[in-house]
Amino acid sequence: MSPISTRRHGEVLIVTSNNPPVNALGHAVREGLVRAMDEADGDDAVKAVVIICEGNTFFAGADITEFGKPMQMPMLPMVVDRIESCTKPVVAAIHGTAFGGGLEVALASHYRVAVPSAKLGVPEVKLGLLPGAGGTQRLPRIAGVQKALEMATSGNPIGAKEAYEIGLVDRLIEGDLEQHAVAYAAEVMDTRPLPKSSERDDKLHEARDNPAIFDEFRKANARKFRGFEAPESNIRAIEAAGRLPYSQGVMEERRLFMELMSGTQARAQQYFFFAERKASKIEGLAEDTRPRDIRRVGVIGAGTMGGGISMNFLSAGIPVTIVEMAEEALDRGTGTMRKNYEATAAKGRMTAAQVEQAMGLLRPTLDFGALADCDLIIEAVFENMDVKKDVFGRLDKIAKPGAILASNTSYLNIDEIAAATSRPEDVLGLHFFSPANVMKLLEVVRGAKTAPDVLLTAMQLAKKIRKVAVVAGVCFGFIGNRMLIPRQTQANKLLLEGATPEQIDRVHVEFGMPMGPFQMADLAGVDIGWHRDPNRIENIRDKLCAMGRWGQKKGAGFYDYDEKRRPSPSPVVAELIDEFRARAGVQSREVTDQEIVERTLYTMVNEAAKILEEGVAQRASDIDVVWVYGYGWPVYRGGPMFWADTEGLPEILGGLQRQQERLGPDFSLSDLLVRKAEAGEKFTR
Ligand code: 3H9
């Protein structure tokens, strides 16, 4: 049965799409829409058309699962042209999200009405693409060039109210959408000529009168666009709208669209779209598993982590009890949370009332016993096994039966922590990333005895607090931090062999990472995890710590910093490296950028393969989600596993084998990597 059906309401033909879950514009939908337009044109009794969708949303875009497969006619650009060429006025009735191809359908319609909660956007750039069904040509004609540039290059939607203000929506509908859309259609049914967005050009003068608008936009956003191909193609296509007649503009759009579509970045970003959605799925979970109810969350520790973690729940409307040991620390912690909220409000992203609402849900206390009525308790205390065990032992005595007990540890063994309680089935790891109220990633660490419903609860709760959660197994550092270890080991060795911190960091930044390993150490604090004995100096880091060069916070670390925290290469560090090199009896040599890639990034892939092989990650794509959301791996490279597949696993293996001597005795190849490389297989499909 076609997902598109038509029925008559007086002289209005109502065209309804029912294609769950998001009314994606797959083949059958496209075909149905064309048929509906033919029906409208062929029937004199039809005076106007309403296009509307069932379910949660208007068309959320082209069907991404069809990408990369042979295209079936009619293609979306033809469909939208067919809608615009309908001889009867077509009204798009929008609710939910009119995204991508969905907005293009709306733009090709002669009129657009929307409920106030609707969102309109062109998120194609997030898939490495551009709105390729006339969107880059019609959007600037309707919404203006500057707005079109912003929407197309950010991919972020605008609300219906704003859309109405800028003329992208003709009427806001309060009440029943279909009923009002039909009434609107009846109002406009005699209007001629029909307003066609492809024929408008009043708003293009913005660009024709000021062609510099494009370069100014490029300059203002250069940092944001770094490394990505799609934003520039979006700009060029919109530029073409200003320069060329519509018919030629769409040809240029098509050319740029196909160019992007055949590139690696689009493949990587589309792969990542599905990777992110797959991450929330728990392998082997019995279908009748039900989550536990979480009405109140307890957080132990009001430091940076504890405060950030609490904010996630407060923002989602979930009350939090936060416990500290001393009044001063508690006040400082809650004060910081308030300050953070107020800063968000100052940027206009929250109202003052919302700040009060969130803070009103917080119950700060020095009484550990106050955690007794919490359904989930997250410990965010000092990273030390004895301390954690002590906390969990005490929790065991006061937490109510069925409460979930979670540790925010970044490295430690959850099973050992769970063993400090009489209820290890209720224990798991919730590894938030710093700053915890900002970073999207959450590693949910499943212990050997963690109950399935506890795991499910955590994964569902993550969605509620707008995190992307990934299931990880127990091992030192879980998925993300464990992969940092070989990278850091090799980066440190490379310093001794002749590379500089600047060179190693530059290679990572050019690769697309936000920063390299030494920049990251300086930002996080070189002293993190330091043994704190200034007389015990075994490596460069020990020495830096002993010298008080703890990174940005001290104005010195692997780099020197000025008062504005701008880094410069440090002669002191250069001397230190020479000293340690002499001590190790290593001869300095020239290290190539390629060697840095092989020794830091290839070794990460090798570690990831071990993580996969050991079942610490459920699937290769989960590792990619961790690295993109937790560490800023460039999404246009898909993540370390997808990237390894694009490089070719034989190439990765070959590189590691070439470097084997230099990688040191602690390095070993992953069996899975070797097997897959030899069999010509990939990690991701
Ligand atoms: C485009 O339009 C190109 C054109 O310009 C030119 C063509 C020539 N296709 O996100 P959710 C699935 S490019 C296929 O969890 P939510 C999704 O995988 C497209 N499937 O729900 C998931 O499946 P599963 C431009 C899609 O409520 C299920 O639907 N449009 C598509 O949190 C539910 O998704 C976009 O980029 C799709 N387009 O969010 C919009 N979209 O249940 C992409 C979703 O098996 N979509 N699925 O895991 C979204 O942003 C969100 O899905 C949306 C709903 C906001 C709509």
Side-chain angles (χ1 to χ4, degrees):
M1 215 174 67
S2 171
I4 298 289
S5 61
T6 56
R7 75 199 144 84
R8 210 59 91 62
H9 188 285
E11 293 173 309
V12 177
L13 183 72
I14 303 174
V15 179
T16 306
S17 169
N18 179 11
N19 187 31
V22 298
N23 282 306
L25 289 148
H27 174 240
V29 174
R30 299 196 303 274
E31 207 173 54
L33 283 173
V34 169
R35 212 177 330 106
M37 294 305 114
D38 291 346
E39 183 183 337
D41 274 341
D43 188 339
D44 289 344
V46 171
K47 298 278 191 269
V49 180
V50 165
I51 300 180
I52 193 163
C53 292
E54 283 183 13
N56 291 334
T57 180
F58 193 71
F59 307 106
D63 187 339
I64 308 168
T65 59
E66 288 182 355
F67 289 177
K69 298 180 189 154
M71 262 326 240
Q72 282 177 287
M73 295 294 183
M75 300 207 325
L76 197 54
M78 298 171 181
V79 177
V80 298
D81 284 348
R82 180 66 191 91
I83 293 171
E84 197 183 57
S85 70
C86 183
T87 55
K88 323 280 169 76
V90 179
V91 178
I94 302 169
H95 77 298
T97 46
F99 277 5
L103 185 58
E104 292 175 299
V105 164
L107 282 165
S109 301
H110 306 109
Y111 299 96
R112 290 156 291 280
V113 299
V115 296
S117 59
K119 290 196 162 73
L120 297 87
V122 275
E124 283 88 341
V125 73
K126 296 184 182 174
L127 300 169
L129 297 174
L130 52 76
T136 63
Q137 307 303 297
R138 286 194 174 95
L139 189 59
R141 284 176 159 83
I142 299 282
V145 174
Q146 181 70 28
K147 197 73 207 168
L149 283 171
E150 284 165 18
M151 288 175 72
T153 59
S154 71
N156 296 332
I158 58 171
K161 286 183 190 148
E162 185 183 351
Y164 175 68
E165 280 157 20
I166 63 173
L168 180 53
V169 161
D170 299 296
R171 183 174 291 174
L172 287 177
I173 304 284
E174 305 276 358
D176 186 78
L177 178 61
E178 183 178 295
Q179 201 185 332
H180 284 85
V182 168
Y184 185 84
E187 269 176 53
V188 296
M189 65 171 62
D190 295 324
T191 307
R192 294 294 182 281
L194 289 171
K196 296 185 178 177
S197 48
S198 66
E199 289 175 358
R200 265 181 73 173
D201 78 347
D202 49 311
K203 292 202 174 173
L204 295 178
H205 283 285
E206 201 181 329
R208 290 186 182 147
D209 299 344
N210 176 25
I213 188 172
F214 298 103
D215 275 342
E216 283 161 13
F217 188 78
R218 284 186 178 96
K219 225 167 103 193
N221 292 284
R223 259 180 73 127
K224 222 168 36 198
F225 298 160
R226 184 176 73 91
F228 286 91
E229 287 162 3
E232 175 57 24
S233 300
N234 273 275
I235 297 172
R236 282 193 197 166
I238 294 170
E239 213 168 10
R243 209 180 58 237
L244 303 170
Y246 180 82
S247 58
Q248 288 176 32
V250 280
M251 281 164 65
E252 178 64 358
E253 174 191 272
R254 193 83 214 135
R255 190 187 68 73
L256 289 162
F257 181 83
M258 294 315 289
E259 193 175 277
L260 288 175
M261 194 59 140
S262 60
T264 310
Q265 291 203 352
R267 250 191 329 116
Q269 289 178 255
Q270 287 157 29
Y271 153 83
F272 193 77
F273 176 85
F274 290 110
E276 183 180 337
R277 280 155 182 82
K278 232 186 281 165
S280 64
K281 305 196 165 79
I282 305 166
E283 298 284 343
L285 188 77
E287 244 175 56
D288 58 356
T289 314
R290 293 284 163 273
R292 297 186 187 178
D293 234 7
I294 305 294
R295 293 211 197 89
R296 173 171 285 278
V297 172
V299 175
I300 307 171
T304 313
M305 252 356 244
I309 291 171
S310 303
M311 288 175 74
N312 291 309
F313 295 100
L314 298 175
S315 304
I318 302 171
V320 173
T321 301
I322 189 162
V323 185
E324 252 300 345
M325 290 198 299
E327 189 75 52
E328 202 209 336
L330 190 62
D331 291 348
R332 202 179 328 118
T334 52
T336 307
M337 287 160 71
R338 174 171 282 283
K339 229 173 52 207
N340 286 341
Y341 273 132
E342 282 169 355
T344 308
K347 285 184 205 142
R349 282 195 262 127
M350 229 179 152
T351 63
Q354 284 169 325
V355 173
E356 293 316 316
Q357 200 179 354
M359 287 306 286
L361 291 171
L362 183 68
R363 193 201 291 162
T365 177
L366 298 176
D367 173 18
F368 199 80
L371 296 168
D373 67 343
C374 294
D375 306 293
L376 160 69
I377 303 165
I378 306 169
E379 154 285 304
V381 301
F382 189 58
E383 185 79 341
N384 171 289
M385 184 54 94
D386 291 337
V387 177
K388 305 251 182 210
K389 277 185 178 167
D390 177 58
V391 167
F392 273 76
R394 288 168 63 202
L395 266 185
D396 192 27
K397 293 199 180 71
I398 60 117
K400 66 179 180 189
I404 297 177
L405 312 180
S407 171
N408 176 50
T409 179
S410 356
Y411 286 97
L412 301 175
N413 187 322
I414 295 292
D415 292 334
E416 208 179 321
I417 294 173
T421 73
S422 62
R423 37 176 143 174
E425 67 282 3
D426 293 339
V427 177
L428 87 174
L430 289 180
H431 179 211
F432 288 85
F433 286 66
S434 187
N437 53 319
V438 178
M439 297 292 286
K440 281 199 68 124
L441 181 66
L442 178 66
E443 278 182 326
V444 176
V445 189
R446 170 191 221 159
K449 295 190 177 155
T450 304
D453 64 333
V454 168
L455 187 65
L456 178 67
T457 309
M459 295 302 281
Q460 293 194 351
L461 194 61
K463 222 174 218 172
K464 226 178 258 174
I465 60 170
R466 306 169 74 138
K467 298 285 173 205
V468 177
V470 171
V471 177
V474 173
C475 69
F476 191 71
F478 317 124
I479 297 174
N481 282 345
R482 174 166 160 185
M483 284 166 65
L484 275 180
I485 299 167
R487 183 179 87 160
Q488 197 62 49
T489 307
Q490 292 305 319
N492 293 344
K493 273 169 78 67
L494 281 161
L495 287 188
L496 290 190
E497 292 170 41
T500 60
E502 299 81 70
Q503 185 192 6
I504 296 169
D505 286 341
R506 176 181 52 74
V507 169
H508 283 83
V509 171
E510 283 174 2
F511 179 81
M513 303 291 292
M515 61 191 104
F518 298 107
Q519 289 163 323
M520 186 167 151
D522 273 5
L523 179 70
V526 184
D527 59 314
I528 288 186
W530 177 43
H531 48 60
R532 316 242 144 214
D533 178 357
N535 296 316
R536 194 176 128 203
I537 293 176
E538 288 158 8
N539 52 40
I540 296 172
R541 192 192 74 157
D542 288 350
K543 180 76 183 175
L544 290 177
C545 286
M547 292 165 76
R549 297 186 65 104
W550 294 3
Q552 286 195 22
K553 60 188 170 189
K554 295 277 186 178
F558 283 97
Y559 294 84
D560 290 336
Y561 294 89
D562 65 14
E563 53 303 327
K564 286 194 175 141
R565 289 205 175 184
R566 276 178 306 213
S568 56
S570 167
V572 178
V573 172
E575 224 169 274
L576 253 177
I577 295 171
D578 286 342
E579 199 184 303
F580 273 85
R581 182 180 301 129
R583 213 194 279 180
V586 179
Q587 196 66 35
S588 174
R589 64 181 169 84
E590 197 185 325
V591 174
T592 64
D593 289 358
Q594 179 59 22
E595 180 177 346
I596 293 173
V597 168
E598 291 176 0
R599 291 188 49 190
T600 57
L601 299 178
Y602 285 17
T603 49
M604 282 175 67
V605 170
N606 185 62
E607 195 64 32
K610 289 183 185 176
I611 285 171
L612 196 58
E613 196 172 357
E614 292 166 19
V616 167
Q618 296 192 102
R619 46 184 92 85
S621 59
D622 283 4
I623 298 173
D624 289 339
V625 172
V626 166
W627 268 81
V628 168
Y629 278 125
Y631 304 84
W633 185 283
V635 65
Y636 58 78
R637 293 192 196 272
M641 301 309 258
F642 184 88
W643 174 69
D645 284 342
T646 23
E647 288 286 286
L649 298 189
E651 165 57 30
I652 302 279
L653 180 62
L656 289 169
Q657 284 166 335
R658 266 197 302 281
Q659 301 293 344
Q660 188 120 24
E661 285 290 293
R662 289 179 175 149
L663 291 170
D666 293 339
F667 177 82
S668 65
L669 281 169
S670 146
D671 291 340
L672 182 70
L673 172 64
V674 175
R675 252 193 346 263
K676 282 201 175 277
E678 287 174 356
E681 290 173 7
K682 290 178 186 291
F683 288 129
T684 63
R685 242 154 298 181

